[in-house]
């Protein structure tokens, strides 16, 4: 009970423009605190209504299958043709008039900014959006898709528009991480500036060495990622979140073109095992522990998330599948950029008025097994709550799309688990030394709580 009251006080404190309140106001708050505690348990004390009012909700989240770059199902699919199907799906499956969308924000990383922005605009037209709907891109590297979601939520909350789409796309078949064209000599005098240029695999080795993550731990994490992803695929868990994409695949030897429909992630290896992974040589350092088997796959994919004000969703009769509760981006040492989630998650959770123990599920991007293992250990997370359907080691990591993919995967799993699963976290590390995290609430929990008590 005391824990619930403390959480209420934190939430109410965030609402105060001035921490000095009158005794009458304090009495009113005390009454509100007491009234909010009921038989539904401590989680019912999460003061949603008064604290958030007309909050920001998610009514749809879809993704394409994720395919291996250069070898997989999307190797001959252009970025605009990859993005268009998920943009179209969020509109068609909700029967929303596309002209009502205030903005489309697309996370994307590797392609030249102005070129990809044009391709995204083209994709919006393919998907059926009128020319009155604007679109822009955002690049916070590996968290770009999640940053797009946070940006749209913030713009809706600020009142710039009521409905927005956050998306992400990456074609790693075509675009790759390049080196800085002209290195500023000044970087030599700044160690952390130099570390921003480190290959991501080297930062993975730094994490493993600095924090004592063993090769065996990394390989075991990879095996588990593939096992869980394979089980999720076999049981049909991903069907509701994946939008089938009709495209072409060209035979590299004959040039023959085949029409195909891609609806299954093609990077999952159900038979991944410790013996086979142990045979792989280190990819970045001769004496290292990071291999092609315990790092995320280079992939092609896209995703899209439809957000709006709660009042608008209710007015339109749309199902609320999630509530956007908080977001945080933080900086860390560039030499060990993979520790980002361990720094960002506590900040996002605290911002939501919660504690780590309140979080039921985590989606932590598996950029490298070294950093994924470290973050779990650092935060003392229950492995049965983290990446329960596998992660980027098995599914792949199309950089700009990963955040949107995680939203779809997390909310669908929370929906399946029902009342026993209320809060979820999405997090990832970010190249050059950052981390990002967001807290989402399962959409129908408020309705359940209202049935258990009188809602204000």
């Amino acid at each position: 009970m005391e824990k619930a009251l403390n959480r209420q006080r934190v939430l109410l404190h965030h609402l105060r423009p001035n921490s000095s309140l009158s005794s009458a106001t304090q009495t009113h708050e005390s009454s509100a605190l007491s009234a909010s505690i009921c038989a539904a348990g401590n989680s019912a004390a999460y003061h949603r209504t008064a604290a958030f009012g007309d909050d920001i909700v998610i009514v749809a989240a879809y993704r394409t299958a994720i395919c291996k770059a250069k070898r997989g199902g999307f190797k001959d699919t252009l970025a605009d043709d990859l993005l268009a199907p998920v943009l179209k799906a969020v509109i068609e499956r909700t029967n929303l008039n596309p002209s009502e969308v205030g903005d489309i924000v697309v996370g994307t990383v590797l392609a030249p900014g102005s070129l990809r922005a044009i391709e995204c605009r083209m994709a919006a037209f393919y998907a059926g959006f009128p020319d009155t709907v604007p679109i822009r891109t955002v690049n916070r590297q590996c968290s770009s898709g999640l940053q797009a979601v946070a940006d749209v939520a913030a713009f809706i909350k600020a009142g710039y528009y009521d409905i927005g789409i956050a998306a992400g796309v990456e074609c790693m078949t075509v675009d790759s991480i390049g080196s800085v064209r002209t290195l500023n000599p000044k970087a030599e005098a700044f160690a952390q500036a130099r570390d921003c240029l480190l290959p991501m695999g080297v930062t993975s080795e730094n994490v493993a060495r600095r924090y004592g993550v063993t090769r065996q731990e990394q390989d075991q994490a990879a095996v588990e990622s593939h096992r869980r992803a394979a089980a999720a695929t076999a049981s049909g868990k991903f069907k509701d979140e994946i939008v089938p994409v009709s495209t072409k695949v060209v035979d590299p030897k004959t040039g023959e073109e085949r029409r195909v429909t891609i609806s299954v992630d093609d990077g999952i290896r159900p038979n991944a095992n410790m013996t086979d992974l142990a045979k792989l040589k280190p990819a970045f350092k001769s004496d290292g522990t990071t291999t092609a088997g315990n790092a995320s796959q280079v992939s092609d994919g896209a995703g899209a998330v439809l957000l709006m004000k709660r009042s608008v969703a209710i007015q339109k009769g749309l199902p609320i599948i999630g509530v956007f509760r908080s977001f945080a981006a933080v900086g860390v040492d560039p030499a060990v950029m993979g520790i980002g989630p361990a720094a960002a998650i506590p900040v996002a959770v605290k911002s939501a008025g919660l504690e780590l123990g309140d979080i039921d599920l985590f989606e932590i991007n598996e950029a490298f097994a070294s950093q994924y293992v470290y973050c779990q250990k650092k935060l003392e997370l229950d492995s049965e709550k983290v990446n329960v359907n596998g992660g980027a080691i098995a599914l792949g990591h199309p950089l700009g799309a990963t955040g949107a993919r995680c939203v779809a995967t997390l909310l669908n799993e929370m929906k399946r688990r029902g009342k026993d699963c209320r809060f979820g976290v999405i997090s990832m590390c970010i190249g050059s030394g950052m981390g990002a995290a967001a807290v989402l609430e399962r959409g129908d929990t408020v309705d359940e709580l209202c049935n258990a008590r009188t809602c204000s």
Side-chain angles (χ1 to χ4, degrees):
M1 182 70 73
E2 181 62 26
K3 177 181 176 182
L5 285 168
N6 286 338
R7 190 180 307 150
Q8 286 284 62
R9 294 184 184 107
V10 168
L11 285 168
L12 286 167
H13 173 74
H14 285 313
L15 289 175
R16 303 173 188 169
N18 189 322
S19 60
S20 177
L21 296 179
S22 68
S23 59
T25 302
Q26 291 173 349
T27 301
H28 175 74
E29 285 186 359
S30 178
S31 299
L33 287 171
S34 300
S36 68
I37 309 301
C38 71
N42 283 353
S43 66
Y46 187 74
H47 201 59
R48 190 208 68 77
T49 305
F52 297 96
D54 193 7
D55 47 19
I56 313 307
V57 302
I58 297 168
V59 300
Y62 302 111
R63 68 176 178 96
T64 66
I66 300 173
C67 296
K68 295 177 285 189
K70 301 185 186 302
R71 300 179 290 135
F74 292 138
K75 71 180 184 66
D76 300 303
T77 303
L78 300 173
D80 42 343
D81 283 332
L82 197 53
L83 178 60
V86 289
L87 292 179
K88 188 174 184 179
V90 297
I91 295 300
E92 289 191 340
R93 297 186 183 186
T94 59
N95 291 316
L96 182 70
N97 183 341
S99 66
E100 294 184 80
V101 174
D103 200 4
I104 302 172
V105 182
V106 185
T108 186
V109 179
L110 299 178
S114 118
L115 170 61
R116 184 48 49 84
I118 291 171
E119 291 173 327
C120 291
R121 178 74 163 152
M122 293 162 60
F125 290 135
Y126 302 156
F129 288 84
D131 58 14
T132 54
V133 176
I135 192 166
R136 68 175 170 92
T137 59
V138 60
N139 185 348
R140 201 193 283 271
Q141 300 194 55
C142 296
S143 71
S144 296
L146 185 61
Q147 185 67 57
V149 175
D151 282 6
V152 170
F155 272 59
I156 294 175
K157 187 174 183 179
Y160 293 135
Y161 47 80
D162 291 339
I163 301 171
I165 293 176
V169 64
E170 209 70 56
C171 290
M172 300 182 80
T173 291
V174 177
D175 304 304
S176 59
I177 299 174
S179 58
V180 175
R181 287 175 294 182
T182 303
L183 181 60
N184 190 333
K186 189 186 297 184
E188 289 301 317
F190 293 84
Q192 288 187 309
R194 293 198 308 273
D195 288 343
C196 289
L197 302 171
L198 288 174
M200 294 298 98
V202 173
T203 68
S204 171
E205 295 291 5
N206 290 345
V207 169
R209 183 177 296 106
R210 185 178 298 187
Y211 301 106
V213 182
T214 67
R215 168 72 181 268
Q216 184 174 10
E217 287 178 307
Q218 294 174 61
D219 286 353
Q220 185 59 59
V223 169
E224 186 65 7
S225 183
H226 284 285
R227 186 192 70 78
R228 291 180 176 187
T233 300
S235 63
K237 284 188 174 182
F238 295 140
K239 286 184 177 179
D240 288 341
E241 67 191 63
I242 293 179
V243 175
V245 177
S246 178
T247 187
K248 66 179 180 181
V249 174
V250 180
D251 188 307
K253 295 181 179 179
T254 65
E256 179 184 356
E257 181 180 306
R258 290 186 297 114
R259 297 301 302 180
V260 296
T261 298
I262 306 296
S263 59
V264 179
D265 304 308
D266 66 18
I268 303 169
R269 298 190 292 273
N271 298 320
N273 60 80
M274 294 293 286
T275 300
D276 289 343
L277 289 184
K279 297 175 183 177
L280 298 177
K281 295 181 179 180
F284 300 97
K285 290 187 175 181
S286 59
D287 61 345
T289 56
T290 299
T291 72
N294 60 33
S296 59
Q297 299 183 49
V298 177
S299 309
D300 303 323
V305 181
L306 179 59
L307 300 96
M308 59 185 65
K309 284 185 176 180
R310 178 183 291 275
S311 59
V312 174
I314 292 173
Q315 181 184 32
K316 292 182 175 298
L318 293 172
I320 296 172
I321 63 172
V323 184
F324 189 88
R325 285 298 178 217
S326 70
F327 173 79
V330 304
V332 298
D333 182 353
V336 285
M337 67 92 197
I339 69 173
I345 289 173
V347 177
V349 169
K350 183 178 180 180
S351 178
L354 301 170
E355 299 173 3
L356 271 179
D358 297 315
I359 307 303
D360 300 296
L361 284 178
F362 295 83
E363 283 287 331
I364 300 179
N365 188 43
E366 299 167 354
F368 298 95
S370 62
Q371 57 87 207
Y372 173 68
V373 170
Y374 165 78
C375 291
Q376 280 198 82
K377 291 167 70 174
K378 176 65 177 177
L379 298 177
E380 299 181 342
L381 304 181
D382 180 351
S383 62
E384 294 303 311
K385 293 182 177 182
V386 186
N387 294 7
V388 296
N389 294 315
I393 292 174
L395 297 171
H397 178 23
L399 309 180
T402 289
R405 192 282 296 174
C406 288
V407 171
T409 301
L410 177 70
L411 289 181
N412 273 281
E413 183 61 30
M414 292 176 76
K415 179 181 179 180
R416 280 189 292 269
R417 297 191 175 207
K419 64 181 181 179
D420 294 327
C421 186
R422 184 172 183 189
F423 296 107
V425 161
I426 294 167
S427 186
M428 61 279 292
C429 58
I430 303 168
S432 77
M434 291 177 280
V439 176
L440 304 182
E441 182 178 3
R442 182 169 56 83
D444 54 2
T445 55
V446 173
D447 295 333
E448 292 171 359
L449 293 174
C450 285
N451 290 332
R453 63 186 170 98
T454 301
C455 289
S456 57

